[in-house]
Amino acid sequence: MEFASTHVYNYDNSDEECVSDEELEHGMTLSDDEDSSDEDLGPAYDNLRGASSAVEVTDADVVEKDADPVYDNAEEARYTEIPGSSSLVSTKKRRHDELPPPPPPAPRLTLAAMPLGEATAHVSANKKGKERSSMKKVSHWRSAPPLGGSSHAEGKKWRRADTNVVSIRFNTLTSPSNMHTGDPVYCRSCQAALSHLGKITTQGGDQVWLCEFCGENNMVDLMPEEIPQKDDVTFMLQPAPTTTASGNSGTDKSLVIFVVDISGSMCVTTEVPGKVKLRGTERLHRLNRSFNELREDQHLPREPRNVTFISRLQGVQAAVDYQLSEMEREFSSRRVALVAFNNEVEVIGDGTDVPLTIAGDKLKDKDVLKKAGSELSLPKSVKETRKALSEKLFELEEGGSTALGPALLVAVSMASQCVGSKVIICTDGAANVGVGRLDLVGDELQQESELFYSEVGQMAADKGVSVSVISIKGTDCKMVELGKVADTTGGQVNIVDPLKLTQEFGNILSEAIIATNVTATFLLHKGLYIRHESSQDSKATRNIGNVTGESEITFEYGVRKQPKKHQPPKEDVIPEEQESLRSRGSLAEAGPSTASGSNATKTAPDIDKLTELPFQLQITYTDLEGAQAMRVLTQAKPITKDRDVAEKNMNVNVLGAHTAKQSALLALEGEYGAARMNVHMNQRLVSRHSKSHVASRPAYKKFFSSIKPLETRIHQQVRSERDTRGTTYSDEEDADAEEDDNIRNEDRLLLKTASEGDVAGGSAPPQFKKKQKGILAALKKRSRRAECSDDMAKDIYEAVRAPSKGFKD
């Protein structure tokens, strides 16, 4: 466990901050006194800027509109009171006290009316001016009113971010430092495991352990050597079986399955300078000669001659063949299989047997596909099949549709026979044949396809299979749906140039699975609760599935609201309709009451009376040899009520990883507004730290450059919604949305019923209001997922996987 601060921040009430409309519209920028140049923000942001700036030039590009006023310098900013408000906002003083009225606008000069050279120079200069304008410092930090200020200022209020965050990395999961004899002892109330922090006393001849998490008295009967003495202990739950497919200490006999798209679009070519000789092009050359027996020049005038056109399939073939040679050299016992798909699924296997072809109605039957995959024999080692598999690989030809879903299910079923297997899909189009079609119209059909990929992902995770998805740059594969499979199974998602597939395949194969069936349970003192969880309990369990050395998860926790003196604690102080908002962080609150949660008891000490709080992580897993174990890590952290103390000892790496992950998860749920607000609040937190700690400024810039692409991508999507619909899908489910043309008739009927209310009360019954909010939330998520581009999906899934080490400067 790695904490975002050395101290637990014990607040009485959560603070709020206001993010101005100006800041939200402008997007994420460095704070006013920092260098806001984009030059040092890294290639990821440079690529994103390049993509967003590649727009069609119109007449509007010639004439600058709404130019910013001129100011002497940044120090001329002044604060002015808003009438009727105590809030302060920043204004800027003009260079002259009085300016003459502007002259009438000159006639617009279009590109067509300008000489070609002059028009080109004019547009180029105009674009440069726009880039400089976009890089100007914006006083958006000053536009936020002070804490506790008036609510008249325009903007959104949000809970102020803090350092109560924990990160868990799994790189050393299967290398335990202390194997403990015996079985773990659990608290009968909260299920915390007895650790080195536990205090055991003797009462009437009996051993009693007072749980440090919930205050429960537990009767125990332990020998001294059975009591853990370290903060990190591992319990063996079940030894490994006698035979294994692969293991940490044995020969790597894991299975790798390449699932290759050979549909018609895979023949699209990329121009490469020079004459490149590729294996497998002999058939194409023979075909060309048959159509040009006289060998006449076929080039058009001014057409480049010293180039080679390489198809997407040729790029895939070259990349897979290279990996075969590398595995033959480095991992000769590893097993490799090949599955190709277009309007049929062809299981080539290791190339030594007759291929299995699945076509027709079988592509629509999940049970048939599962059975076909599970009954396939496992391939021989790559050192035995390398030559035959390579020959089959280069015999593949493009043509047909895209039965991606059936091919995926067959490959996962086959890989499930071997724990630790990898399935690597390479495609350039959305599935449109058989199960898992992503080209269907209609909510029920779309939901059926979405459910299919969720089920396949969970099936793979349960069997210890990792699925990675690679799509070709410039195509649309509905990566937001395919990425769910990769995210569930610990795989990777990427969009690459077909000429760079070799490197991408290598990156995926180098990230080995180290454990499967991983489950992490995080336990807190009963005075704390875990944020972003529906139960708001002091305990949360996540089923992670497969983990690699790069896998990492984070938790964020809050402080429960303490009951007032002489007032009994309430069972629940959070209204049901506010729980979802508070779990997303959109409301500032002190947290649920001390009595809330399944493991809260009245006998536990008040958090304000303690000097430190315990934290425990229980990780159960199965290693690649089949052994099942549980690793228990327990630590205690000091408490402070001083925010400055908590922020002084900040770990920016942990906060960066958590910000990326949580914002990405919110974006996947369609909560674009909440995702962006989460970014802005945490940026302010890290910025405050960098201003008081000069040494941390490089870390702040690294945080900014790492998070900026995701925030920009979400912001661009929101703008796109506004441009195409005239408005955005509201982040607050609005009752007036029943008039929205995008809502289904049956949904609009329910919304109308909810808004009309019951006859007697004149207001919508609670069940209708709850139904209404659910309908609108589902509509927003469904619509945004349908409109999510592959580039955006890639950025989101990469952020979900963001490791804390990636934020080190």
Side-chain angles (χ1 to χ4, degrees):
M1 287 189 294
E2 192 173 9
F3 291 77
S5 174
T6 57
H7 289 71
V8 176
Y9 176 42
N10 177 21
Y11 52 84
D12 291 324
N13 291 284
S14 287
D15 299 328
E16 283 184 340
E17 285 184 334
C18 180
V19 179
S20 68
D21 293 338
E22 177 190 8
E23 181 179 357
L24 288 174
E25 182 60 29
H26 191 276
M28 186 180 178
T29 62
L30 290 171
S31 54
D32 292 333
D33 56 352
E34 295 285 349
D35 177 15
S36 60
S37 172
D38 295 334
E39 295 178 358
D40 300 325
L41 300 186
Y45 182 51
D46 292 339
N47 295 336
L48 189 59
R49 281 183 54 204
S52 62
S53 62
V55 297
E56 182 181 358
V57 179
T58 64
D59 292 346
D61 291 313
V62 180
V63 181
E64 189 76 43
K65 298 192 304 181
D66 301 328
D68 292 334
V70 180
Y71 310 104
D72 287 338
N73 53 58
E75 299 301 324
E76 291 187 357
R78 296 293 184 265
Y79 292 94
T80 304
E81 288 192 15
I82 300 176
S85 170
S86 61
S87 300
L88 299 179
V89 298
S90 67
T91 60
K92 293 186 176 179
K93 184 175 68 177
R94 296 182 180 273
R95 177 173 295 175
H96 306 290
D97 294 335
E98 296 183 1
L99 292 176
R108 293 174 58 88
L109 184 61
T110 64
L111 289 177
M114 298 178 67
L116 177 61
E118 183 180 348
T120 304
H122 200 112
V123 172
S124 177
N126 190 33
K127 283 188 174 181
K128 290 181 179 179
K130 285 187 176 181
E131 288 186 4
R132 287 193 296 269
S133 176
S134 66
M135 293 167 57
K136 290 180 181 178
K137 296 177 183 179
V138 179
S139 335
H140 60 280
W141 298 94
R142 297 193 182 106
S143 65
L147 297 177
S150 172
S151 61
H152 291 81
E154 294 184 358
K156 290 185 178 181
K157 286 187 177 182
W158 213 257
R159 183 184 65 85
R160 198 180 191 189
D162 55 48
T163 56
N164 290 343
V165 175
V166 182
S167 169
I168 296 97
R169 296 182 61 190
F170 296 94
N171 55 324
T172 60
L173 176 62
T174 57
S175 302
S177 58
N178 180 31
M179 294 297 297
H180 191 74
T181 58
D183 298 325
V185 177
Y186 298 101
C187 172
R188 63 182 181 180
S189 176
C190 68
Q191 296 302 302
L194 176 64
S195 69
H196 68 294
L197 298 179
K199 299 295 188 294
I200 298 180
T201 60
T202 303
Q203 299 180 9
D206 296 325
Q207 290 180 323
V208 178
W209 163 39
L210 177 64
C211 178
E212 59 273 20
F213 289 89
C214 68
E216 180 73 21
N217 285 320
N218 298 274
M219 303 291 293
V220 296
D221 184 12
L222 299 170
M223 301 293 291
E225 60 271 16
E226 294 178 310
I227 302 175
Q229 302 298 321
K230 303 287 185 179
D231 62 353
D232 183 359
V233 296
T234 300
F235 299 88
M236 181 61 66
L237 303 181
Q238 182 175 323
T242 55
T243 60
T244 58
S246 64
N248 297 328
S249 59
T251 303
D252 183 0
K253 295 183 180 180
S254 61
L255 174 61
V256 177
I257 302 179
F258 291 100
V259 184
V260 178
D261 185 350
I262 58 171
S263 61
S265 57
M266 290 293 286
C267 69
V268 176
T269 59
T270 300
E271 182 180 303
V272 179
K275 294 296 183 180
V276 180
K277 186 176 181 179
L278 296 173
R279 182 182 172 186
T281 58
E282 294 81 5
R283 179 190 58 83
L284 183 60
H285 291 324
R286 289 195 300 270
L287 183 62
N288 289 336
R289 286 195 295 269
S290 68
F291 287 103
N292 186 19
E293 296 180 355
L294 300 179
R295 308 289 180 89
E296 294 178 338
D297 186 3
Q298 300 292 309
H299 291 84
L300 297 174
R302 298 183 180 180
E303 182 181 6
R305 297 170 180 266
N306 189 30
V307 297
T308 304
F309 292 91
I310 300 177
S311 71
R312 294 169 179 171
L313 180 58
Q314 287 175 320
V316 174
Q317 289 170 325
V320 172
D321 188 60
Y322 178 81
Q323 294 303 326
L324 290 176
S325 63
E326 287 294 296
M327 285 187 281
E328 182 185 21
R329 183 169 57 89
E330 299 289 341
F331 306 98
S332 58
S333 296
R334 187 176 286 177
R335 292 169 286 191
V336 183
L338 179 63
V339 176
F341 64 92
N342 46 20
N343 52 297
E344 301 175 344
V345 175
E346 184 180 13
V347 183
I348 299 172
D350 61 11
T352 61
D353 294 329
V354 178
L356 171 65
T357 301
I358 305 174
D361 291 339
K362 293 181 180 179
L363 299 175
K364 302 178 182 179
D365 194 323
K366 291 187 289 186
D367 293 332
V368 170
L369 295 170
K370 287 181 183 178
K371 184 180 179 187
S374 60
E375 291 180 349
L376 290 169
S377 58
L378 289 176
K380 303 176 181 133
S381 64
V382 69
K383 65 182 178 182
E384 302 176 71
T385 64
R386 163 76 172 86
K387 183 178 179 179
L389 189 55
S390 183
E391 290 177 355
K392 294 290 186 181
L393 172 67
F394 285 102
E395 290 176 1
L396 296 176
E397 297 181 12
E398 309 95 332
S401 302
T402 309
L404 189 153
L408 171 63
L409 184 53
V410 170
V412 169
S413 300
M414 181 181 180
S416 298
Q417 302 177 58
C418 184
V419 175
S421 299
K422 286 182 177 291
V423 173
I424 304 176
I425 303 173
C426 188
T427 183
D428 74 337
N432 54 25
V433 174
V435 295
R437 291 183 59 177
L438 295 173
D439 64 334
L440 300 174
V441 178
D443 291 337
E444 292 184 3
L445 295 176
Q446 290 178 0
Q447 291 173 7
E448 183 179 344
S449 295
E450 293 174 7
L451 179 61
F452 168 78
Y453 289 105
S454 297
E455 291 176 347
V456 173
Q458 193 57 54
M459 169 186 169
D462 293 342
K463 298 295 184 179
V465 176
S466 170
V467 180
S468 294
V469 181
I470 302 174
S471 73
I472 305 300
K473 187 176 181 180
T475 63
D476 181 12
C477 307
K478 298 297 182 184
M479 190 66 80
V480 69
E481 300 301 337
L482 296 179
K484 288 192 300 185
V485 183
D487 183 50
T488 304
T489 62
Q492 299 183 28
V493 175
N494 209 348
I495 301 173
V496 299
D497 187 289
L499 304 181
K500 298 180 181 179
L501 285 168
T502 298
Q503 178 182 354
E504 187 60 28
F505 283 153
N507 293 338
I508 294 173
L509 293 173
S510 65
E511 196 171 294
I513 296 175
I514 61 175
T516 64
N517 300 312
V518 178
T519 300
T521 301
F522 188 51
L523 295 103
L524 304 172
H525 182 273
K526 76 113 181 185
L528 306 177
Y529 71 99
I530 300 175
R531 295 189 185 276
H532 310 296
E533 300 287 340
S534 58
S535 64
Q536 297 203 345
D537 203 349
S538 297
K539 180 175 73 172
T541 299
R542 293 186 189 174
N543 296 318
I544 303 169
N546 306 320
V547 298
T548 68
E550 299 295 319
S551 299
E552 183 173 349
I553 62 173
T554 59
F555 291 94
E556 183 178 355
Y557 60 91
V559 179
R560 293 190 187 279
K561 184 177 180 180
Q562 298 295 331
K564 296 180 180 180
K565 294 182 179 180
H566 311 297
Q567 178 181 349
K570 297 179 181 180
E571 287 300 317
D572 189 4
V573 299
I574 296 184
E576 183 178 3
E577 60 269 19
Q578 295 182 3
E579 286 186 359
S580 61
L581 289 175
R582 290 185 171 174
S583 67
R584 298 197 302 259
S586 57
L587 295 179
E589 88 292 339
S593 68
T594 307
S596 297
S598 61
N599 62 347
T601 63
K602 298 180 181 180
T603 59
D606 187 352
I607 187 175
D608 291 333
K609 299 178 182 179
L610 302 176
T611 58
E612 61 180 20
L613 291 175
F615 296 82
Q616 186 172 99
L617 180 69
Q618 302 173 3
I619 308 175
T620 59
Y621 64 92
T622 303
D623 65 21
L624 297 187
E625 295 179 345
Q628 298 179 17
M630 183 177 77
R631 193 165 180 177
V632 180
L633 297 89
T634 311
Q635 297 183 26
K637 290 292 178 180
I639 308 172
T640 180
K641 281 187 170 291
D642 190 340
R643 176 182 279 271
D644 292 338
V645 172
E647 295 184 3
K648 177 182 178 181
N649 301 281
M650 180 186 301
N651 187 328
V652 178
N653 303 332
V654 172
L655 278 175
H658 177 69
T659 302
K661 292 175 183 293
Q662 190 57 40
S663 297
L665 291 173
L666 287 168
L668 281 175
E669 291 298 316
E671 301 291 345
Y672 291 169
R676 294 189 66 207
M677 293 296 287
N678 183 63
V679 168
H680 285 287
M681 290 296 99
N682 280 280
Q683 183 197 0
R684 291 183 176 186
L685 172 62
V686 179
S687 176
R688 289 195 298 269
H689 179 68
S690 68
K691 290 176 181 177
S692 57
H693 298 79
V694 179
S696 68
R697 289 185 180 177
Y700 169 54
K701 287 192 175 183
K702 181 67 175 178
F703 172 94
F704 180 87
S705 63
S706 300
I707 299 293
K708 173 68 175 178
L710 175 64
E711 195 272 346
T712 301
R713 186 73 73 182
I714 298 174
H715 190 196
Q716 289 175 347
Q717 190 67 19
V718 172
R719 284 180 169 178
S720 176
E721 290 178 6
R722 187 181 297 117
D723 292 341
T724 56
R725 303 175 69 251
T727 183
T728 64
Y729 300 107
S730 176
D731 282 340
E732 295 106 16
E733 284 69 37
D734 189 355
D736 293 336
E738 65 186 75
E739 302 299 330
D740 195 325
D741 293 336
N742 294 287
I743 298 181
R744 299 178 305 171
N745 290 332
E746 54 266 36
D747 291 344
R748 187 180 292 106
L749 179 61
L750 287 172
L751 291 172
K752 183 178 180 181
T753 303
S755 62
E756 288 176 350
D758 55 3
V759 178
S763 60
Q767 64 269 26
F768 279 127
K769 287 186 176 181
K770 187 175 181 180
K771 181 71 173 179
Q772 182 187 52
K773 292 175 71 68
I775 293 171
L776 291 170
L779 167 67
K780 178 174 63 179
K781 179 179 178 180
R782 183 170 65 242
S783 300
R784 284 179 163 165
R785 290 186 74 89
E787 298 172 7
C788 182
S789 67
D790 280 5
D791 287 329
M792 181 174 180
K794 179 185 77 73
D795 287 347
I796 290 176
Y797 284 116
E798 284 183 349
V800 171
R801 286 173 47 87
S804 55
K805 69 177 185 179
F807 288 82
K808 293 183 179 179
D809 57 288

